[in-house]
Structures are given as structure tokens and as C-alpha cells.
């Protein structure tokens, strides 16, 4: 553990979380936005479904931890929504069980602390044609359709409304882009840099509008060690210095 202590944001989910720091991913973007404001860490597990997530909740989020997250962003559903394999193996989780698993995750996180906030991400769409092109011969038949994604997305959204949890409808948000089929994915399922930008935009929108105390939107949070210093760069007047603590000009997008 290093100091000073900052608010802790945890990204918990399957491959869309594990890969969120790769290729301009949404985790990396959030880490840049929240530099010197919050520590963002991932607990992402490639190929996982909600059933496996429930099994490790106490290990990933121990209730007796000295420091609890200020925010947990949760994504499971894409692997759950895959069609059932005839062998009984594979990641498929029936829809009713998926809903109950997500409920268990939500209850566990709510019980961590009074200040732990939660955002669920619903199942995004897929590019079925691109997915078929990129499916390896190492795998048995994979059944992954946009319609199945929609069903699991809507179930997640309905559960969050029932439990008063913030939720982002990724299935709809992605498809607002006319070019979403080709722009938002690397392989038909996992997010490209453009797809990740959609996720970041939606997360920031929720954080800005949430009536949480304390606020977790980046513009409302203090910047660590942001005081003026004689060691900052010298201004053109040759007498004062310029504090760079809040500079954001390096960003491709000036996030709101």
C-alpha cells in the first residue's frame, strides 16, 4: 500500500474488464481521467460468467477489508448469454440463474460499506458476422447472437431498476453509432478503442448525474498535491510559476 490514500475504483468482470487496459481500453482511459484523483484497479477474468463471479466474491471483495472501494463497476453477461453446449460444459448460464447471480453480486457489494457505489454494465451487442470470421477451430461450436445479448442486457437493466442500482445500457449505447458493427469491436465481441470510448462516455454521464456524497465525477474530486509550487514551470513574466496539476491538453478527447 502506498500513500496518500485515494478513493478506490474497482472494475470487476470478464474479458471486457480484463482487456480494458489494452488497445486504448476504457479502463486505461478512466485511469488517465482520474489521475491523481482515484486509483483504478481491475479484477477481470477472461471467459468468466456470473456463476464463477459469485464463487469468488468473498475473496475479491472481503467484507472485513480495512479499505473498501468507493466505486465498483461490474460487467458479466456476455459469456452467460452464449448458447448452451450439448455437453453441459461451457460458459452458458440460464437467464433466471444469471439474474439471481447478479442479484447476489449486488447485495454483496452493497454490504461492503455505506459509501461503496455500484454501476452495472449491461451486455453489449455483438457483430455476428465478424465473430464467425474470427472463431478459432480450437473451439467447439459457439452460439453467440445479438438477440441473446439483448435478452441478458434487458434482464440486467430490469434487476438494477428493481434494486436501485445505476446501470448502463451498453446494448443500446453501442448501437447509437451508425458504424457500430465495424467500429466498436476488435473481433466481433471484445471492444476496440472506439467501443471503449462509448463505455467511458456512458460511465462519466452516470457519475456526473449521480446524487452521491461524496461526488465521484472526476471534475468534483480533489487533485492530489495540487498546490502551487516555486518548482513549477516559470511563466513568461519570469516572476511566477504555472501549476500544471489540472492540465488535460494531452487527451485526444476532452471528457466532460
Amino acid at each position: 500500500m502506498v500513500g496518500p490514500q485515494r478513493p478506490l475504483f474497482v472494475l470487476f468482470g470478464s474479458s471486457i474488464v480484463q482487456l480494458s487496459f489494452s488497445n486504448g481500453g476504457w479502463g486505461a482511459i478512466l485511469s488517465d481521467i482520474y489521475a491523481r484523483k482515484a486509483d483504478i484497479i481491475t479484477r477481470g477474468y477472461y471467459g468468466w460468467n456470473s456463476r464463477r463471479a459469485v464463487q469468488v466474491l468473498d475473496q475479491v471483495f472481503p467484507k472485513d477489508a480495512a479499505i473498501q472501494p468507493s466505486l465498483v463497476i461490474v460487467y458479466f453477461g456476455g459469456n452467460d448469454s452464449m448458447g448452451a453446449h450439448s455437453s453441459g460444459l461451457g460458459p452458458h448460464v440460464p437467464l433466471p440463474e444469471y439474474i439471481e447471480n447478479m442479484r447476489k453480486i449486488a447485495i454483496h457489494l452493497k454490504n461492503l460499506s455505506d459509501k461503496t457505489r455500484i454501476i452495472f454494465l449491461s451486455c453489449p451487442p455483438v457483430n455476428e458476422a465478424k465473430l464467425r470470421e474470427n472463431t478459432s477451430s480450437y473451439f467447439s461450436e459457439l452460439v453467440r447472437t445479438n438477440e441473446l445479448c439483448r435478452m441478458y442486457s434487458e434482464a440486467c437493466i430490469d434487476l438494477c431498476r428493481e434494486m436501485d442500482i445505476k446501470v448502463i445500457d451498453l446494448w443500446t449505447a453501442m448501437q447509437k453509432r451508425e458504424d457500430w458493427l465495424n467500429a466498436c469491436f476488435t473481433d466481433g465481441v471484445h471492444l476496440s478503442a472506439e467501443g471503449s470510448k462509448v463505455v467511458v462516455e456512458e460511465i462519466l454521464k452516470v457519475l456526473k448525474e449521480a446524487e452521491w456524497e461524496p461526488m465521484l465525477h472526476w471534475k468534483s474530486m480533489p487533485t492530489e498535491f495540487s498546490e502551487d509550487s516555486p518548482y513549477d514551470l516559470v511563466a513568461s513574466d519570469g516572476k511566477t510559476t504555472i501549476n500544471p496539476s489540472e492540465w488535460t491538453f494531452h487527451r485526444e478527447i476532452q471528457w466532460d
Side-chain angles (χ1 to χ4, degrees):
M1 186 66 188
V2 296
Q5 183 178 324
R6 300 173 181 171
L8 179 64
F9 292 4
V10 181
L11 316 181
F12 179 48
S14 55
S15 55
I16 282 180
V17 171
Q18 181 174 330
L19 302 179
S20 67
F21 277 74
S22 299
N23 304 316
W26 58 280
I29 297 172
L30 287 175
S31 284
D32 175 55
I33 293 171
Y34 279 88
R36 297 170 64 172
K37 295 174 181 290
D39 287 333
I40 298 178
I41 66 171
T42 60
R43 290 296 182 267
Y45 305 95
Y46 213 121
W48 276 36
N49 56 22
S50 62
R51 190 179 290 164
R52 295 189 75 178
V54 169
Q55 292 172 353
V56 301
L57 276 176
D58 288 322
Q59 295 167 265
V60 178
F61 299 102
K63 292 182 179 179
D64 59 353
I67 299 172
Q68 294 293 358
S70 296
L71 175 68
V72 183
I73 300 177
V74 179
Y75 169 72
F76 289 100
N79 296 315
D80 300 67
S81 72
M82 292 176 64
H85 194 272
S86 58
S87 67
L89 300 172
H92 171 71
V93 173
L95 189 58
E97 182 190 345
Y98 167 72
I99 294 169
E100 290 311 305
N101 289 341
M102 298 302 282
R103 186 189 307 277
K104 291 173 183 176
I105 293 170
I107 291 171
H108 184 94
L109 296 177
K110 281 189 169 188
N111 288 332
L112 292 179
S113 82
D114 293 337
K115 294 296 185 180
T116 297
R117 310 304 182 188
I118 308 165
I119 299 174
F120 275 21
L121 307 179
S122 83
C123 191
V126 295
N127 180 333
E128 295 180 30
K130 195 168 188 178
L131 180 60
R132 284 192 294 270
E133 292 172 6
N134 288 286
T135 298
S136 170
S137 60
Y138 284 106
F139 298 116
S140 181
E141 182 184 0
L142 300 178
V143 179
R144 201 162 205 163
T145 69
N146 213 16
E147 176 60 17
L148 286 171
C149 291
R150 181 193 64 79
M151 292 169 57
Y152 280 69
S153 174
E154 290 184 357
C156 178
I157 293 166
D158 289 344
L159 174 67
C160 289
R161 287 172 178 162
E162 174 195 330
M163 299 187 71
D164 192 25
I165 292 172
K166 302 293 183 184
V167 62
I168 292 171
D169 179 358
L170 286 184
W171 195 84
T172 299
M174 291 282 179
Q175 294 183 80
K176 287 180 180 177
R177 285 188 57 147
E178 291 185 3
D179 61 348
W180 71 272
L181 277 168
N182 295 314
C184 290
F185 308 103
T186 59
D187 56 4
V189 176
H190 299 105
L191 302 180
S192 64
E194 290 302 307
S196 281
K197 289 174 186 176
V198 175
V199 178
V200 172
E201 182 179 3
E202 295 299 319
I203 289 172
L204 292 180
K205 191 184 305 180
V206 169
L207 292 173
K208 186 175 184 179
E209 295 173 357
E211 296 180 355
W212 289 337
E213 183 60 40
M215 288 282 291
L216 298 179
H217 185 260
W218 69 280
K219 289 185 177 180
S220 301
M221 299 176 69
T223 299
E224 189 174 280
F225 298 138
S226 61
E227 63 275 3
D228 293 335
S229 169
Y231 303 117
D232 288 334
L233 294 171
V234 180
S236 59
D237 62 11
K239 300 176 182 178
T240 58
T241 56
I242 300 174
N243 189 332
S245 299
E246 306 292 345
W247 286 358
T248 62
F249 62 83
H250 66 283
R251 292 177 185 159
E252 178 186 3
I253 297 174
Q254 292 300 308
W255 298 99
D256 189 17

